[in-house]
Amino acid sequence: MSHQPPADQPRTFHVKSFGCQMNVYDGERMAELMAAQGLTATQDAAAADLVVLNTCHIREKATEKVYSDIGRLRKDAAAQGRARPMIAVAGCVAQAEGAEIVARAKVDVVVGPQAYHNLPDLVARAAAGVPALDTDMPTASKFGQLPARRRVGPSAFLTVQEGCDKFCTYCVVPYTRGAEISRPFEAIVDEAKALVDAGAREITLLGQNVNAWTDEGRGLHDLIRAIDRINGIARIRYTTSHPNDMTQGLIDAHRDVETLMPFLHLPVQAGSDRVLRAMNRSHTRDSYLRLIDRIRTARPDIALSGDFIVGFPGETEADFAETLSLVDTVAHAQAFSFKYSPRPGTPAATMADQVPAAVMDDRLQRLQAALNRDQHAFNAASIGRRCTVLIERKGKLPGQMLGKSPWLQSVHLLTDAAIGDLVEVEVTSAGPNSLGAVERLRQVA
Ligand code: SAH
Ligand code: SF4
Ligand code: F3S
């Protein structure tokens, strides 16, 4: 139930999310939660009474960003002659550094990814002058305690699984997000229906290991098939997947389920078995490539995406050459690549043979050149193709709209279609990051 906040409480808020799509989802849910308390959302962080920084801990740079952001917020407020905004640090830095943030940056609220349903209470306590911290990982799920979904855009996120049990040796996620937990089947289908009722045409199912989702023997493919049956749903996607949880049922769904889009983000990280073993990835180069073959047999036009790390401790030039040759073999439609960043508390951070920064820079550049080449080639091969585009927003030019192809490419076209419409187009041009198209047919609902 919504009510007016007392005078000493913040009245306006701004949520800023960093990191992965699960953080974006959490940010939306926190915004809905604060709105249900009677606070008003504002686009302008500097003008908000309460700023929620929903942080990411994955690499050192991401983590440092939270401290520079806090400094900037306070400076901007001071420059405007305002009292400092109340600052709440949420997300994975909150979980990992907890009390340290309160001590170092004097923030008002720290709330972990599994505790943010308590945000209104924590804000109330902070408003009373007591810094409030909650980084518990309760056994009862936060999801049941969040308000219902009301208004969303044509493409919506839905978290179905959280946490990770894989413990790759470089990664903080198992520590910041906790063990793998799947939300119940019924709760997810209900939320999917609510999202469609609220305007979503496309739903992206999210999880740190989304394809590990399970409930009473059901797998992610069963969930996809159930969401496929919801009236009004046009597209389903899911991310991020681990190669070891890619079941035959899920591969078959890519062949059978028309609303399941031909796109798969399936990180491999590296191409050398020696490095994969040191990373504790529990798949090999060969098992990964065989998996890709099976997926492509089921769905020949599938666009593959991935993540790569260069400069993992001990990575030699020969190891890196195997990553490049894997990239050549797979030909990704798009991919993310990162320099290895040592994270406190992870096994890799104290491994011998840390790779010098200059070597990492060089390898990243060469890897990105190869990935960009493949992305451009994938886009160029789309010219002449007919496909649907889900219109998501206005473009810069008059009459121009932007949307996504089934293969998650950005597409711009001139059309009088509205946001949320599905338009059939023919692709007429391709750049490194987007496609141009002309409209062929409008699909109504
Ligand atoms: N659960 C997903 C993604 C996790 S984080 C998966 O396993 O694929 C997203 C990406 O960040 C990872 O895939 C990895 O490529 C990268 N990453 C994680 N830890 C890192 C680190 N310490 N240094 C550099 N990149 C890292
Ligand atoms: Fe991190 Fe590995 Fe888990 Fe992905 S699978 S979240 S990289 S530990
Ligand atoms: Fe970052 Fe946490 Fe996501 S560390 S990538 S926000 S799970």
Side-chain angles (χ1 to χ4, degrees):
M1 211 173 57
S2 117
H3 61 86
Q4 278 300 310
D8 55 342
Q9 297 283 327
R11 291 177 169 278
T12 60
F13 73 95
H14 178 88
V15 181
K16 190 170 171 190
S17 288
F18 305 87
C20 61
Q21 286 142 316
M22 313 207 43
N23 251 18
V24 174
Y25 174 86
D26 291 341
E28 287 168 2
R29 305 290 326 244
M30 283 189 270
E32 290 164 351
L33 193 55
M34 297 319 288
Q37 299 291 314
L39 276 77
T40 308
T42 160
Q43 290 304 310
D44 180 8
D49 297 337
L50 165 69
V51 179
V52 181
L53 297 174
N54 192 20
T55 60
C56 174
H57 195 57
I58 201 82
R59 284 168 288 274
E60 190 184 356
K61 264 197 188 145
T63 301
E64 280 309 311
K65 219 176 166 332
V66 58
Y67 293 103
S68 60
D69 254 59
I70 292 167
R72 182 154 3 93
L73 280 167
R74 293 197 171 136
K75 234 173 91 189
D76 287 353
Q80 293 172 12
R82 302 174 61 237
R84 70 186 182 95
M86 183 187 285
I87 294 176
V89 176
C92 289
V93 179
Q95 192 65 42
E97 300 192 353
E100 225 176 299
I101 309 173
V102 179
R104 179 171 159 189
K106 310 268 178 305
V107 298
D108 308 276
V109 173
V110 172
V111 63
Q114 302 306 343
Y116 66 74
H117 54 287
N118 293 329
L119 187 59
D121 282 351
L122 298 167
V123 166
R125 264 158 56 193
V130 194
L133 181 140
D134 188 347
T135 51
D136 287 352
M137 293 202 179
T139 43
S141 161
K142 66 190 175 248
F143 293 106
Q145 302 172 58
L146 300 171
R149 316 301 312 265
R150 292 239 168 83
R151 259 208 333 261
V152 294
S155 178
F157 288 146
L158 202 180
T159 292
V160 304
Q161 180 280 340
E162 293 195 284
C164 183
D165 296 340
K166 305 283 192 288
F167 290 94
C168 300
T169 52
Y170 50 81
C171 184
V172 294
V173 170
Y175 311 98
T176 63
R177 294 277 172 166
E180 283 178 12
I181 305 174
S182 295
R183 290 180 67 190
F185 179 86
E186 301 297 342
I188 297 167
V189 173
D190 284 351
E191 186 171 330
K193 284 181 185 152
L195 287 170
V196 171
D197 286 345
R201 306 293 315 275
E202 171 177 281
I203 291 180
T204 303
L205 306 175
L206 299 180
Q208 268 88 23
N209 274 296
V210 72
N211 57 344
W213 180 88
T214 180
D215 184 21
E216 291 177 353
R218 284 178 284 214
L220 187 66
H221 56 285
D222 298 308
L223 189 57
I224 288 169
R225 287 175 192 270
I227 293 173
D228 171 65
R229 288 192 289 272
I230 296 174
N231 247 334
I233 189 87
R235 292 176 161 195
I236 303 170
R237 303 181 185 276
Y238 61 95
T239 200
T240 291
S241 296
H242 191 285
N244 286 9
D245 294 317
M246 209 62 216
T247 61
Q248 191 58 45
L250 189 51
I251 295 174
D252 291 345
H254 275 287
R255 183 193 58 210
D256 303 336
V257 181
E258 217 183 303
T259 55
L260 182 58
M261 291 294 102
F263 183 93
L264 178 61
H265 183 74
L266 194 67
V268 63
Q269 313 297 355
S272 136
D273 281 338
R274 217 178 56 81
V275 172
L276 288 171
R277 212 174 311 119
M279 287 177 161
N280 191 33
R281 283 294 291 180
S282 64
H283 59 77
T284 62
R285 172 196 182 86
D286 188 55
S287 69
Y288 179 83
L289 290 175
R290 277 185 286 125
L291 177 59
I292 296 294
D293 277 347
R294 281 166 55 212
I295 295 163
R296 280 188 163 145
T297 302
R299 182 76 207 217
D301 71 334
I302 200 155
L304 291 167
S305 165
D307 294 341
F308 292 88
I309 295 175
V310 300
F312 185 81
E315 185 189 70
T316 63
E317 182 57 31
D319 291 322
F320 177 64
E322 292 205 61
T323 297
L324 288 179
S325 91
L326 181 137
V327 165
D328 289 349
T329 307
V330 174
H332 294 79
Q334 56 149 80
F336 302 95
S337 47
F338 312 101
K339 284 186 273 188
Y340 167 70
S341 172
R343 308 306 293 126
T346 61
T350 50
M351 283 180 186
D353 300 323
Q354 299 282 325
V355 174
V359 174
M360 282 206 248
D361 285 334
D362 172 65
R363 287 182 190 163
L364 186 67
Q365 234 175 47
R366 286 150 67 203
L367 176 60
Q368 289 186 339
L371 293 170
N372 289 341
R373 171 203 67 200
D374 290 346
Q375 180 172 329
H376 205 160
F378 183 83
N379 287 347
S382 304
I383 295 176
R385 235 173 183 177
R386 276 193 171 221
C387 66
T388 59
V389 169
L390 176 61
I391 304 292
E392 293 181 9
R393 56 198 169 90
K394 287 194 164 130
K396 281 193 192 118
L397 304 175
Q400 190 188 53
M401 300 298 273
L402 303 180
K404 294 270 163 55
S405 78
W407 307 279
L408 207 66
Q409 297 147 299
S410 291
V411 184
H412 52 87
L413 68 153
L414 295 174
T415 175
D416 57 8
I419 291 172
D421 283 348
L422 270 174
V423 177
E424 195 176 316
V425 304
E426 184 178 323
V427 177
T428 49
S429 65
N433 298 311
S434 67
L435 305 177
V438 293
E439 183 171 1
R440 291 294 182 216
L441 202 68
R442 182 86 41 87
Q443 297 192 349
V444 190

